[in-house]
Amino acid sequence: MLDQKYYDTADEIIAIHGADQSSLIPIIQDIQTEFRYLPGELLSYVAEKIGITEAKAYSVATFYENFSFEPKGKYVIKVCDGTACHVRKSIPILERLYSVLGLSEDKATTDDMLFTLETVSCLGACGLAPVLTVNDKVYPAMTPDAAEDLIEELRGAE
């Protein structure tokens, strides 16, 4: 069971967008922005409030890769492994980040909920390869050492 603040926040977001079926995507986008993930219980709550079935809400939320039912860290790091980035050695960057953060392909978020590490097929910045993003801010021409320095900088900001 979620804390009441989740439902209160959902109600505020629904009020902004309107309790209409066509508002589902903007509502769940805002919920995910607020909580850094989309709690399943809240998706069911939103579906009821805007008059659609849970199945419909889940089909939309699972169709789009952007939505996550798992909590994410404060800093979401996406390492590109598209062709240009892969050829320019993105895998050693990913491996260093796994090591520094104590993460793996099976464990994407640190226990302190500070970092989530994801691999993506393309970030659309091939000319800047290898690239990673932190909360959608692009970091071009990365190296394993530069990625480790970035982690230390972000930890220092805490």
Side-chain angles (χ1 to χ4, degrees):
M1 181 84 177
L2 292 173
D3 188 79
Q4 184 60 41
K5 74 174 183 165
Y6 284 81
Y7 298 100
D8 294 343
T9 300
D11 287 337
E12 291 171 13
I13 291 170
I14 291 167
I16 290 168
H17 294 288
D20 186 69
Q21 295 179 14
S22 64
S23 299
L24 175 64
I25 291 175
I27 289 168
I28 61 178
Q29 283 175 322
D30 285 359
I31 288 171
Q32 181 161 292
T33 298
E34 180 71 25
F35 299 114
R36 296 195 305 263
Y37 80 112
L38 182 57
E41 290 176 48
L42 213 49
L43 182 59
S44 300
Y45 178 79
V46 167
E48 182 181 325
K49 287 286 191 174
I50 66 172
I52 62 172
T53 65
E54 274 186 63
K56 172 89 171 169
Y58 273 91
S59 71
V60 170
T62 57
F63 177 80
Y64 294 102
E65 248 183 66
N66 187 45
F67 295 115
S68 172
F69 291 103
E70 297 296 320
K72 293 191 178 193
K74 178 177 181 179
Y75 300 107
V76 178
I77 303 166
K78 295 180 182 179
V79 176
C80 181
D81 194 35
T83 303
C85 288
H86 186 84
V87 167
R88 293 186 181 158
K89 311 262 187 255
S90 62
I91 295 301
I93 295 165
L94 182 64
E95 289 170 348
R96 177 75 66 88
L97 290 171
Y98 278 144
S99 175
V100 167
L101 296 171
L103 299 174
S104 66
E105 287 184 26
D106 297 326
K107 181 181 181 196
T109 301
T110 57
D111 292 336
D112 63 4
M113 297 300 293
L114 198 54
F115 297 100
T116 295
L117 181 58
E118 301 175 344
T119 307
V120 296
S121 298
C122 185
L123 288 169
C126 302
L128 305 174
V131 172
L132 66 78
T133 62
V134 177
N135 296 348
D136 299 323
K137 180 179 178 187
V138 176
Y139 292 85
M142 290 302 293
T143 64
D145 290 341
E148 186 171 348
D149 290 346
L150 178 59
I151 295 302
E152 294 310 314
E153 181 182 318
L154 293 171
R155 281 186 174 142
E158 291 304 305

